[in-house]
Amino acid sequence: SSMGQHHNALINVQKARALSLYLFEENSVEQIQSLIELGNAYLHAGHLQTAQKHYEQVLLLDPTHSTGLNNYGVVLYRLNNYSGAYEVFSKMLRMNHRDKRAISMMKQLPKHILVQKRRNIVYIYMAVHHLLFWEIYLVLYPQNDIIHEERGEM
């Protein structure tokens, strides 16, 4: 059966993982690849939390590993952690603004998450630059005289 095959595949991957940890140097390319492959096996078998743990281990070893980031973001997305997925795909796009995987996943995120995150970015920008709401408003709508009148600038 299909479930039996998945179970056997996971057992084989776990054996390979145990062997790889014994053979490979810590933090080596091979160790990271082993973690990716193990995460992928769990992801395809539908064990999302276990897959997530393996991708998190990859990112502890190499926080900019693009496949580790992508697969971690996909797991978060499948777990309906859209906010977390947004953060991961945003990081990927900061590293490479043309990353097709991140762009594709961003398009699949619910619209309210994107709107909420953009709004937060504006608020953070305002806080960092000590801007008040009306100052932002003046930048966005300089033609609106009401605020100018209130501030005695007419």
Side-chain angles (χ1 to χ4, degrees):
S1 77
S2 176
M3 284 311 287
Q5 288 173 326
H6 277 308
H7 181 72
N8 290 341
L10 289 176
I11 289 171
N12 288 335
V13 169
Q14 285 171 324
K15 286 179 187 171
R17 164 98 172 107
L19 183 62
S20 73
L21 286 177
Y22 178 75
L23 293 175
F24 299 145
E25 288 178 42
E26 248 187 273
N27 301 3
S28 67
V29 172
E30 292 89 352
Q31 187 183 21
I32 289 174
Q33 192 55 41
S34 168
L35 286 165
I36 291 278
E37 287 170 12
L38 190 55
N40 292 349
Y42 282 113
L43 177 62
H44 294 301
H47 298 276
L48 298 177
Q49 278 91 1
T50 311
Q52 178 182 353
K53 286 178 187 150
H54 287 87
Y55 298 136
E56 284 169 352
Q57 286 181 291
V58 168
L59 298 175
L60 282 173
L61 298 174
D62 180 0
T64 62
H65 194 281
S66 71
T67 301
L69 281 167
N70 180 69
N71 295 9
Y72 181 56
V74 168
V75 167
L76 293 177
Y77 175 84
R78 291 207 189 153
L79 290 169
N80 299 328
N81 180 350
Y82 299 127
S83 185
Y86 175 92
E87 297 302 330
V88 172
F89 298 126
S90 291
K91 180 175 182 174
M92 290 175 68
L93 290 170
R94 283 194 299 276
M95 289 166 35
N96 172 11
H97 69 279
R98 290 192 177 133
D99 191 306
K100 288 185 170 79
R101 299 165 304 174
I103 292 168
S104 169
M105 287 307 295
M106 279 291 212
K107 288 178 183 172
Q108 294 179 51
L109 288 172
K111 295 291 176 262
H112 73 274
I113 296 291
L114 301 175
V115 169
Q116 176 190 338
K117 292 292 181 182
R118 286 191 196 119
R119 191 177 299 135
N120 290 349
I121 289 166
V122 170
Y123 290 147
I124 290 165
Y125 180 87
M126 287 167 64
V128 167
H129 295 282
H130 307 291
L131 296 173
L132 299 174
F133 181 77
W134 59 262
E135 291 176 302
I136 289 280
Y137 190 87
L138 281 176
V139 171
L140 295 176
Y141 306 102
Q143 73 284 3
N144 191 329
D145 292 334
I146 297 167
I147 290 184
H148 292 280
E149 276 178 40
E150 286 175 8
R151 294 178 57 216
E153 294 181 1
M154 281 300 286

